[in-house]
Every structure is written in structure tokens, then in C-alpha cells.
Amino acid sequence: MAKLRVGVVSPEREIWSGEADMVIAKTVDGEIGIMPQHAPVLGVLVEGGVLRVKRGGGEDDLVAAVHGGFISVADNEVSVLAEAAELGSEVDVAAARDALARAQASVEANQDDADAAVEAKRAKARLRAAGEDV
């Protein structure tokens, strides 16, 4: 079976690259699943989304918190260009829970606090990527 060549990068670093059977991402138009031979597509990633890379062959899925950016698909190549991203295995769960609590408290105190709302989305995505219930 054909494989996808996948690259996940942020301005800070290359997050991950390798082969996969499927990539699932959340875009502003909804969740998209990419498999080999997928038609070319360009999508805008949501703030605070989770990217799942199904590697197959008995390997665990790769899960990452992705905060904005783009996903591009062409010729069995998937490029994820994220504004910020973090592998689930790298997430400091205690720090993410603390960030979520602070952001939620700020949103409750001031409903118009857009920055706190974004921080809450990011913290939730980090926790979901780490396999935690939110």
C-alpha cells in the first residue's frame, strides 16, 4: 500500500517527518482525513486543534497540538505548516492544566478577553494531544 510523506513544521523547528497511512486534521471547514492518492488540497488549520498521524505497521499514532497554520496535500505529500505545534509526548500536563485554569478564570472575569479564549483553546489542545480528558 502506498504511504504518505508527512512533514510537520513550525517557525521554531521541524516537529516530525516520516511516512504515514493517514493524517487527520481539523480545519476551519471541518475535520479532514488524508489518505494516499488524496486529491490536492490546501486547508487552514484551526487554533487549538489536534493533528493525528496514523503511521500503521503497529506503530502508535503520532498526536500533536497544532495552533493555526495550513495543511497542504499534493502527490502523496502532506505538509503541515503550523504557527505553533507540540507533540503530545512533549506536553507538560501539569503546566497545561494550570494554563487552562488561568485562561478559564480570565474568560469568566472578562467575557471579551479574546487572548484568554485563545489560550484556553491552546491548553485544551495540548491536553487532548497528551491523551488527557478535557
Side-chain angles (χ1 to χ4, degrees):
M1 180 179 168
K3 292 273 195 174
L4 296 167
R5 291 178 305 281
V6 181
V8 181
V9 297
S10 73
E12 292 84 31
R13 66 185 177 113
E14 179 181 61
I15 307 298
W16 184 82
S17 68
E19 291 188 335
D21 290 336
M22 184 176 192
V23 176
I24 302 167
K26 189 160 186 181
T27 70
V28 295
D29 294 321
E31 195 167 66
I32 186 171
I34 307 295
M35 295 179 70
Q37 307 304 319
H38 196 285
V41 68
L42 179 63
V44 178
L45 298 170
V46 298
E47 181 67 44
V50 174
L51 176 77
R52 183 172 301 277
V53 179
K54 297 189 171 285
R55 297 186 278 185
E59 291 188 69
D60 290 339
D61 291 354
L62 178 94
V63 184
V66 178
H67 312 295
F70 300 91
I71 184 168
S72 171
V73 180
D75 299 325
N76 282 339
E77 289 193 29
V78 179
S79 298
V80 176
L81 311 166
E83 291 176 18
E86 183 176 11
L87 292 175
S89 60
E90 298 173 345
V91 172
D92 180 338
V93 173
R97 286 201 183 280
D98 185 48
L100 177 59
R102 283 192 319 272
Q104 287 176 329
S106 183
V107 167
E108 288 174 11
N110 179 5
Q111 294 293 326
D112 295 329
D113 191 345
D115 291 337
V118 168
E119 284 306 311
K121 285 180 183 179
R122 285 183 173 215
K124 286 179 181 179
R126 293 177 69 224
L127 289 167
R128 283 193 306 271
E132 298 290 312
D133 290 329
V134 181

